[in-house]
Amino acid sequence: YWYSAEHDDVRQFVVKDGYLHIAIFGQQYPLGYMSGTRFGLEGLGEFDFAGSNMTEKFSEQAVLHFARLPAFAAQPLTDFAGTYRAQDVDGDVIIATKNGKLQLTYPYGEAELTQIGRDHFTGQEFDFNSVRFERDRAGKVTDLVLSVSSGITRLRFAKASG
């Protein structure tokens, strides 16, 4: 996984049948080799990989910079379970464990989350680019901060119970 701290955005790349693919909304799209460390998504844009950094360039869009996410130790998913509320949003976000994964339930549906870092998850096939949990000094989870593909960035929910 690759993460853009500036845009709170995540990219996943996989190798399938010997070719590099980008995974978007649960689908994998092949990338064509261009030159050096550059790969392209046909007619749309390109990805330039330089060690642990990646630059994404699409026509008529801002250039995005990503860093490869480091390895991490698995965390107890029960740490994140609970009900979260935001002042600007009607309805709660409920986080629960289900089949060894985190399940995010919100007024319009559900999303399965995959851990990609310490206190950091994604559910890209469900429109959730980045779901981060924040802790207080004692290590207790206090907040959930999420960004979605449709344009909401860093929306904060306070833990209300759990």
Side-chain angles (χ1 to χ4, degrees), residues 103-133:
Q103 185 80 25
L104 183 150
T105 303
Y106 59 109
Y108 303 104
E110 296 180 339
E112 184 178 278
L113 302 178
T114 300
Q115 189 168 16
I116 59 173
R118 179 168 171 70
D119 298 333
H120 195 184
F121 295 78
T122 189
Q124 290 180 310
E125 57 272 22
F126 304 99
D127 194 34
F128 291 92
N129 281 346
S130 177
V131 179
R132 287 186 166 275
F133 293 89

Side-chain angles (χ1 to χ4, degrees), residues 30-82:
L31 299 177
Y33 176 73
M34 296 173 74
S35 67
T37 57
R38 294 175 40 233
F39 292 81
L41 186 57
E42 191 174 331
L44 298 174
E46 68 180 63
F47 304 91
D48 190 355
F49 298 88
S52 61
N53 296 303
M54 184 269 293
T55 302
E56 176 183 293
K57 300 175 187 173
F58 279 76
S59 60
E60 300 181 31
Q61 292 185 15
V63 173
L64 302 180
H65 302 280
F66 292 79
R68 184 180 205 113
L69 289 171
F72 61 91
Q75 298 172 269
L77 297 180
T78 53
D79 284 2
F80 309 106

